Amino acid sequence: MRSRLLPLFVWIFGFLLLWEVGSWLLLNVAETPLAQSKLPYVHEVMGTLWQYKGTLFKEGGATFGSAGVGFLLGASAGIVLAILMSISKIVEKLTFPYAIASQMIPILGLAPIIYGIVRDDQISRIIISGYITFFPVSLNMLRGLRSVDLSALELMHSYAAKPWAVYWKLRLPAALPGLFSGLKIAAPLAVTGAILVELMGAQHGIGVIMLRNLYYGPSHTYMFWSTVIVGALLGIVSYWLMSLVERAVAPWQPEFRPKGGSR
Amino acid sequence: MSTILTEIPEIKLENIEMRYQTESADVLALHKVSLDIAKGEFVSLLGPSGCGKTTLLRLMADLIEPTGGNITVAGKSAREARLAQKYGIVFQSPVLYDWRKVKDNITLPLELMGTKKSVREDKALELLELVGLQGFADKYPWQLSGGMQQRVAIARALSMEPEILLMDEPFSALDEFTRERLNEELLSVWSKVQNTIVFVTHSIPESIFLSDRVFVLSPHPGRLSSVVDIPLPRPRTAEMRNSPQFFELIARIRDSFEGV
C-alpha cells in the first residue's frame, strides 16, 4: 500500500510545486498582464476553496444531484434498450441508427432547445445528463451481451434452460464488464453535461457560480479557478463511485484479481 | 457385451449424414454413420481431426441437427432427451462461469431445474469429494489450475445425475500426466455413477484405457470405419497401460484407420 501511495504523493506535490513556481515566474519575472488569471497561485486558490467551501459544496452538490438523477435515468434507459436490441434484431435495426444520429447533435445546441421546451433548469440538467449517459451505456452493454462465449450458451442449451434463465444467469452477468465500462465513461460526461446547462442559466449549480465569477473578471480569478477544480472533482468522484460499485457488483473480473495469484 | 446389446440401445444412430454448406463447396462431414450404444456403456469416438467425431457428439446432444438419418435416445428423439435433461456435457474447455464460485458452477444445472439451495449445497460438497476437490467449494474458477477446472466441469455435468454423459475431448488441453490421472479418476467416478458415457478423443491409448468399445472414425468424408471391443477387465489400473494386450489393441486400432 505504502509503495503505491508514495509515488502518487510525490507526483501530486511535484505538480503543485511546478504550478506555484510557474505562477510566480509569470507574475514576477515575465510580468505578463493578468498573470493571475492565466495561472493563479495554488495557495490562493486553495485558500479560496477553503474559505468558500460551504458555497462550493452546496452548489457542487446541486450539480452532482441533477447529474446523478439524469445519469441513473439515462443508464437505465440504455440498459433496457441494449437488452431489447440483443433480443430482437428488428429493435436493433429500428433504433440503433437513431441512437447514433442522436449523438451527432451538439450538446451546446441541444441544451437551449431542451430548456426552451421544458422551461426548467433542473429538468433540463437531468435530461441532458441522461441524454449523454444513454449512448455509451447502451453501446457497451450491448457489446457485453453479445460477447457471451458460444460454448457457455451451448451449455445452457444442453440443460434445456429457459430463455429468461439464459439472460439472468449468463448474458447479464457476462455483460457486467461492458456495462461498467459504459458507466465509467458516462458518469463524468453526465457531470460535464449538467455544468454545461448551468452555464446557460440556472438557479443553482457549480456552473452558475463558475460563469458569475468569470464575468466579474480578475478580482474573482481565485473563485473562478475554485469552481473549475470543484467541477473536475465532481467528475473524478463520479468515476470513482462507479469503480467502487463495479468492485462490489462484479469483483470476479480479471483486473481485480491479485497479481501472481492467478494461473 | 453380448448381453447388453440385446437390450434396447440407449443411443441409436441410423444412417446419419451431415452436410455443411460453405461458400466454395458442399462439405460432407459425416456419411452414413450407424451405431448403437447400450445403457451404462462407456464408448469412445476416436479419430483424427476432421473425422466428424465432435460433430457426431453434438448431434447426439441435440446442439445441431443432422441433414439426414435418425437419432433415438432411449426410444425418443435427441431433442426430447435434451428437454428431459438427460444429458450432461463436458466440453474441451471447462466453460465455467467466472462470476460463480466453484460450488455454484457445479450446481448450475440443479439451479436451472429449481432444486432447493440446501440440497444444492449438499450435492456440491458431495461432488467435490467425488472429483477430489474438497475444500475448493468457495473458490472462483480462476483460482484453480486447468486440470482442476476440468474436474469442476465434470462435477457440474454429473450434478443432475444425467443418464448420458457426453464428453468432447475433455482432457486434450491438459498435459499427459494430468490426463492419465484424470482418466483413472473418471473411471472411478463412473464406477460409482454407472451412467452411459460417450467420450470423444483423438488419443488411441486414452480411448482404450477408458472404453468398453471404441468407434473408430475416418475422415473425408467422416465415417465409421470400425468398432473395436476392449476386453480389458475392470476396474482398469494404471499398470494395464503397459500390458501386451494394451499394445496389441493400440496396434489393431491404428491399423483400422482408413485414408488418413
Side-chain angles (χ1 to χ4, degrees):
Chain A
M1 205 58 188
R2 200 176 143 252
S3 59
R4 258 175 56 198
L5 283 180
L6 194 66
L8 184 71
F9 281 128
V10 171
W11 170 248
I12 290 174
F13 185 75
F15 175 74
L16 293 179
L17 194 72
L18 270 179
W19 181 346
E20 190 79 357
V21 170
S23 178
W24 181 82
L25 287 174
L26 220 56
L27 186 67
N28 297 314
V29 179
E31 292 182 359
T32 322
L34 294 176
Q36 280 298 289
S37 298
K38 286 167 186 161
L39 198 64
Y41 277 130
V42 178
H43 70 269
E44 291 283 4
V45 176
M46 293 288 185
T48 311
L49 265 174
W50 184 251
Q51 194 186 341
Y52 293 100
K53 59 182 184 298
T55 313
L56 289 167
F57 191 80
K58 202 178 122 231
E59 302 301 327
T63 304
F64 202 71
S66 345
V69 173
F71 175 76
L72 288 180
L73 291 175
S76 310
I79 291 170
V80 169
L81 185 73
I83 293 174
L84 290 177
M85 286 195 291
S86 80
I87 292 173
S88 155
K89 276 271 170 206
I90 298 168
V91 174
E92 187 186 349
K93 282 203 179 113
L94 281 177
T95 57
F96 204 64
Y98 297 101
I100 294 172
S102 75
Q103 297 304 303
M104 305 303 160
I105 304 170
I107 302 286
L108 212 58
L110 188 68
I113 294 173
I114 298 287
Y115 184 77
I117 294 168
V118 298
R119 293 256 155 226
D120 182 299
D121 62 282
Q122 178 77 12
I123 299 174
S124 311
R125 267 187 297 188
I126 292 174
I127 291 176
I128 291 293
S129 294
Y131 169 85
I132 294 175
T133 304
F134 166 79
F135 190 68
V137 170
S138 191
L139 191 68
N140 283 288
M141 176 84 185
L142 181 63
R143 223 169 143 183
L145 287 169
R146 292 258 162 86
S147 72
V148 177
D149 190 34
L150 183 65
S151 346
L153 276 172
E154 285 189 334
L155 189 76
M156 280 290 184
H157 189 66
S158 77
Y159 295 133
K162 306 270 186 301
W164 68 264
V166 177
Y167 260 86
W168 193 243
K169 295 186 192 297
L170 174 60
R171 281 197 191 270
L172 290 178
L176 285 179
L179 172 63
F180 276 104
S181 54
L183 292 176
K184 283 192 286 190
I185 295 168
L189 288 177
V191 173
T192 314
I195 293 175
L196 202 99
V197 174
E198 288 163 3
L199 291 178
M200 295 178 178
Q203 308 289 325
H204 290 288
I206 200 73
V208 177
I209 44 174
M210 191 185 288
L211 194 68
R212 195 180 296 156
N213 285 285
L214 187 64
Y215 281 148
Y216 289 161
S219 59
H220 284 71
T221 288
Y222 299 134
M223 189 57 178
F224 171 72
W225 277 74
S226 299
T227 59
V228 171
I229 289 172
V230 168
L233 284 178
L234 292 178
I236 293 169
V237 167
S238 70
Y239 180 88
W240 176 78
L241 266 177
M242 278 307 107
S243 306
L244 214 65
V245 175
E246 182 178 20
R247 247 179 198 278
V249 175
W252 43 265
Q253 295 179 66
E255 66 227 61
F256 299 143
R257 292 170 193 171
K259 293 223 166 58
S262 60
R263 279 186 253 204
Chain B
M1 217 48 47
S2 54
T3 53
I4 48 176
L5 282 181
T6 55
E7 296 172 16
I8 303 168
E10 181 80 339
I11 302 173
K12 188 177 183 64
L13 305 187
E14 294 166 289
N15 287 318
I16 293 299
E17 193 178 87
M18 193 69 200
R19 279 177 193 283
Y20 289 111
Q21 214 72 313
T22 65
E23 272 175 40
S24 54
D26 189 16
V27 181
L28 185 59
L30 286 171
H31 181 62
K32 292 202 169 170
V33 177
S34 298
L35 56 87
D36 287 353
I37 298 165
K39 195 171 174 58
E41 199 179 9
F42 195 133
V43 301
S44 288
L45 305 177
L46 172 75
S49 320
C51 72
K53 54 190 188 299
T54 293
T55 305
L56 208 53
L57 191 88
R58 293 166 61 81
L59 285 166
M60 291 180 196
D62 188 44
L63 292 174
I64 46 175
E65 281 173 36
T67 47
N70 245 325
I71 304 174
T72 41
V73 178
K76 290 178 175 165
S77 73
R79 185 178 164 73
E80 282 170 309
R82 178 174 65 79
L83 294 179
Q85 296 167 324
K86 277 175 182 289
Y87 296 126
I89 299 187
V90 181
F91 295 99
Q92 196 168 348
S93 59
V95 198
L96 302 176
Y97 293 177
D98 278 345
W99 49 91
R100 288 175 166 256
K101 288 177 176 174
V102 164
K103 62 176 180 191
D104 300 323
N105 263 295
I106 290 178
T107 52
L108 173 72
L110 296 177
E111 210 178 300
L112 294 170
M113 289 163 75
T115 311
K116 272 201 307 204
K117 191 176 167 73
S118 56
V119 179
R120 295 204 307 261
E121 296 264 320
D122 291 347
K123 189 77 190 172
L125 295 180
E126 182 192 318
L127 284 162
L128 279 169
E129 202 180 317
L130 189 70
V131 297
L133 286 176
Q134 300 94 318
F136 286 89
D138 291 311
K139 297 274 187 230
Y140 281 92
W142 56 270
Q143 294 173 301
L144 272 56
S145 70
M148 289 157 107
Q149 289 184 6
Q150 202 54 282
R151 280 191 276 179
V152 174
I154 292 170
R156 176 183 59 198
L158 293 171
S159 70
M160 19 120 54
E161 291 163 14
E163 286 163 48
I164 300 164
L165 188 57
L166 302 170
M167 309 182 86
D168 185 10
E169 303 191 44
F171 308 134
S172 63
L174 306 175
D175 63 80
E176 193 68 23
F177 304 99
T178 312
R179 173 198 281 231
E180 289 190 356
R181 207 183 61 238
L182 286 182
N183 281 171
E184 286 151 36
E185 281 178 22
L186 176 62
L187 287 183
S188 109
V189 167
W190 177 61
S191 70
K192 289 170 201 151
V193 188
Q194 289 294 339
N195 49 9
T196 310
I197 299 187
V198 182
F199 191 98
V200 168
T201 179
H202 54 235
S203 159
I204 299 175
E206 187 176 42
S207 70
I208 295 171
F209 185 74
L210 292 173
S211 318
D212 293 320
R213 283 190 300 158
V214 176
F215 294 101
V216 182
L217 295 153
S218 294
H220 317 299
R223 64 199 183 278
L224 188 62
S225 53
S226 68
V227 184
V228 179
D229 280 334
I230 309 297
L232 295 172
R234 292 192 188 271
R236 307 254 162 102
T237 58
E239 295 76 55
M240 287 183 188
R241 286 204 173 92
N242 300 323
S243 67
Q245 199 182 6
F246 198 86
F247 289 115
E248 217 171 276
L249 284 163
I250 290 179
R252 246 186 77 196
I253 288 177
R254 196 169 281 147
D255 289 342
S256 69
F257 281 111
E258 303 162 22
V260 181

